Amino acid sequence: MPIYWAFLTYMLLKPGEENHEYWFMFNGIDKVLHLSIFAALGFFFMAAFPKIKFYYFIQIILIYAFLTEILQEEMRLGRSMETLDIVADTIGCLIGYYIYKLLIKKFF
């Protein structure tokens, strides 16, 4: 969990690069990436802290999402704060949370 969180923080805050057009690129791919990496974060967070209450889980994840977006803007490294990124982060962590709960209910 700490390694994934550190890697995620690095990837979210590293200097922005010019996007090249690849065959798999499409408009909005960054939102899909935000959703998927936060879904993994939500799942791993629940796996690491299975007894945490939903209220605390969502607070921690949202604070992290807001802080990374604010830091992207303030660090001025070619990244910018986007409200839709926070929305994608929130939806992603909720997906990860519910996938974890579904798997626990089904297999344990």
Side-chain angles (χ1 to χ4, degrees):
M1 174 72 190
I3 293 171
Y4 181 74
W5 209 314
F7 173 73
L8 180 58
T9 303
Y10 168 74
M11 293 304 291
L12 289 170
L13 297 179
K14 76 180 188 127
E17 298 175 9
E18 187 67 32
N19 287 337
H20 302 286
E21 291 297 320
Y22 297 106
W23 64 270
F24 58 85
M25 300 289 278
F26 57 89
N27 202 13
I29 192 170
D30 62 322
K31 304 307 178 255
V32 173
L33 293 172
H34 271 266
L35 188 129
S36 60
I37 61 177
F38 271 81
L41 179 63
F43 182 85
F44 293 146
F45 192 90
M46 287 306 298
F49 305 103
K51 297 197 185 292
I52 193 168
K53 292 182 180 180
F54 178 77
Y55 178 75
Y56 295 123
F57 165 81
I58 199 72
Q59 279 186 339
I60 291 167
I61 298 294
L62 285 178
I63 288 169
Y64 178 71
F66 275 104
L67 283 177
T68 56
E69 288 300 317
I70 290 168
L71 286 172
Q72 283 178 359
E73 185 71 29
E74 293 299 317
M75 291 173 69
R76 298 186 190 349
L77 295 174
R79 307 292 295 256
S80 62
M81 181 177 178
E82 293 185 32
T83 305
L84 286 179
D85 285 348
I86 296 171
V87 171
D89 298 346
T90 304
I91 293 169
C93 78
L94 291 173
I95 289 170
Y97 176 87
Y98 287 113
I99 288 174
Y100 176 82
K101 290 295 188 179
L102 180 72
L103 290 175
I104 290 299
K105 184 184 277 188
K106 186 171 183 133
F107 293 110
F108 295 102

